[in-house]
């Protein structure tokens, strides 16, 4: 096989089944690619060849015995560095966890392992998943493989870049306010955020516990659906995991979209939307109409309050979750003259500027005298935003919007202006607050060749319809090209 082969899950399974390549040789091919390209992209922080080759050898042994192969047999996968992996360093892209090695696998990782996946390594991200550009990593930024002078998006930029660059067939990312969908849009690959509770958070290092979700990146919608089929489902180790049956995504995405009502909220197409992004998304909507979908105009009146609501709630939860990193139990410890001094010195040296900023914002929002004015009020607005989605899904089957207001911006372009950086999440945080599933699917490119993503939202636990619409657009664009 050529080292430039664009592998997908079906082609990996076919090649292994016909013995055109072994799982070990395929793993070696991907490590060769990583060796060539990762120094320039910085998508991977840690490689795990010992575990990867052991997994590959297990699949080759099954093939030699003519056993039925599991669904992801031999598929090279990357894992975001905020998801626990037994025996593999998990840093959260932070100095405070630089040498931390988890003693267990996250549930999503354990399920991938049982499905036969091969874990290549851990991908770079914004520190503790806090950021929208992957410039907040303690180990340097990730570069966008489409345009190396630009960001890949964040916080799951390393996972998106690894797939877009052909350094993994699929990857896991996490999405708190857009951290899968926005990097998917910037790097030109599908990125799926499941319903809150669809995928277990057990083993995910918490940023904002009521918002964090694990989901896949892949080069095509079908592969994203295949990975979700493996990792989705109830987990008794996670009290927020929903006991809702996992449907047959492969069958759902194959169904025609004719007759589906597609909601288009005017609130997402206002001032601040890049004209080329608008044009690509409108063209995508027209393609869906050409496939028999009905366009339904919508108003989602609380959209304008989403950014403020999200950053109050997310920082408040971050303030609570990150209190555990104090130098006492695990991770970095910097000696101090007193216990309090040790706490302070450890956190000063261990946390980066963005994490410190969010901890302070969250602590302020939760403090006496401000809790009602900020945190409690934000929770009430969150309910109104969720109600917007509930009412919309009484009229439509899916909602389509731009994923991000602009294409990928240049490295360093927004680092001095946090508000502008936060506004890059304006179209993604709404679905995060409502807990609904969403996907970013490529819908075109700008004149300079930068990818543009269309976002598709669906009702709670209706990932099938989200994938169905995304797959229809993907196929329509493929036919048009």
């Amino acid at each position: 096989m050529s080292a430039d082969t664009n592998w997908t899950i079906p082609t990996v399974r076919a090649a292994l089944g016909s013995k055109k390549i072994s799982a070990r040789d395929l793993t070696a091919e991907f490590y060769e690619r990583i060796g060539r390209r990762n120094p320039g992209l910085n998508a991977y922080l840690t490689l795990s060849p010992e575990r990867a080759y052991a997994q590959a050898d297990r699949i080759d042994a099954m093939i030699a015995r003519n056993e039925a192969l599991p669904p992801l047999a031999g598929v090279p996968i990357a894992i975001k560095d905020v998801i626990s992996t037994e025996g593999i360093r998990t840093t959260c892209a932070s100095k405070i966890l630089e040498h931390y090695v988890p003693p267990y696998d996250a549930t999503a990782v354990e399920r991938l392992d049982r499905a036969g996946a091969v874990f290549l390594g851990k991908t770079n991200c914004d520190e503790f998943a806090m950021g929208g550009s992957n410039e907040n990593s303690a180990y340097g930024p990730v570069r966008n493989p489409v345009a190396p002078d630009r960001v890949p998006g964040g916080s799951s930029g390393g996972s998106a870049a690894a797939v877009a660059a052909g350094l993994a067939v699929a990857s896991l990312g996490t999405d708190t306010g857009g951290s899968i969908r926005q990097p998917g849009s910037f790097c030109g690959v599908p990125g799926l955020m499941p319903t809150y509770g669809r995928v277990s958070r057990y083993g995910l290092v918490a940023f904002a516990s009521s918002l964090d979700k694990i989901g896949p990146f892949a080069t095509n919608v079908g592969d994203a659906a295949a990975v979700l089929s493996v990792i989705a489902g109830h987990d008794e180790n996670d009290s927020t995991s929903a006991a809702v049956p996992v449907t047959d995504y492969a069958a759902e995405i194959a169904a025609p979209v004719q007759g589906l009502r597609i909601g288009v909220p005017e609130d997402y197409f206002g001032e601040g939307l890049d004209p080329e992004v608008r044009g690509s998304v409108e063209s995508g909507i027209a393609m869906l109409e050409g496939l028999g979908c009905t366009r339904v105009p919508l108003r989602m009146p609380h959209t304008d309050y989403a950014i403020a609501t999200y950053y109050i709630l997310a920082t408040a939860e971050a303030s609570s979750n990150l209190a555990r990193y104090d130098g006492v139990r695990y991770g970095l410890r910097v000696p101090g003259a007193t216990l309090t001094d040790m706490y302070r010195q450890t956190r000063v040296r261990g946390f980066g500027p963005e994490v410190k900023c969010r901890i302070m914002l969250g602590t302020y929002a939760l403090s006496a005298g401000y809790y009602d004015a900020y945190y409690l009020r934000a929770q009430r607005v969150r309910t109104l935003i969720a109600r917007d989605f509930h009412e919309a899904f009484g009229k439509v089957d899916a909602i389509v919007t731009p994923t991000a207001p602009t294409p990928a911006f240049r490295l360093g372009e927004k680092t001095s202006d946090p508000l502008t950086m936060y506004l890059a999440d304006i179209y993604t945080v709404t679905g995060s607050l409502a807990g609904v599933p969403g996907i970013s699917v490529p819908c075109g490119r700008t004149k300079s060749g930068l990818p543009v993503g269309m976002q598709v939202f669906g009702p709670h636990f209706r990932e099938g319809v989200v994938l169905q619409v995304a797959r229809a657009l993907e196929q329509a664009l493929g036919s048009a090209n």
Side-chain angles (χ1 to χ4, degrees), residues 221 249 252-263 284-285 287-289 291 293-294 393 396-401 439-443 454-459 462-477:
V221 174
Y249 300 130
E252 288 180 281
I253 66 173
V257 294
Q258 185 173 6
L260 290 182
R261 299 163 299 167
I262 302 298
I285 295 170
M287 285 186 171
L288 292 174
E289 289 183 281
L291 294 171
C293 295
T294 300
F393 288 127
V396 301
D397 300 295
I399 296 170
V400 297
T401 77
I439 191 171
S440 178
V441 60
C443 69
M454 174 191 282
Q455 184 172 220
V456 184
F457 288 124
R462 293 292 308 279
E463 285 83 6
V465 73
V466 168
L467 291 160
Q468 179 188 6
V469 173
R471 176 65 175 271
L473 177 62
E474 180 180 72
Q475 290 183 326
L477 281 168

Side-chain angles (χ1 to χ4, degrees), residues 4 28 35 118 154-155 163 209-210 219 221-222 224 228 235 250 270 326 383 390 408 413:
D4 296 320
V118 172
S155 63
V163 170
S209 301
S210 74
T219 59
V221 174
L228 181 63
D235 175 22
D326 53 13
T383 300
H390 177 75
E413 183 177 328

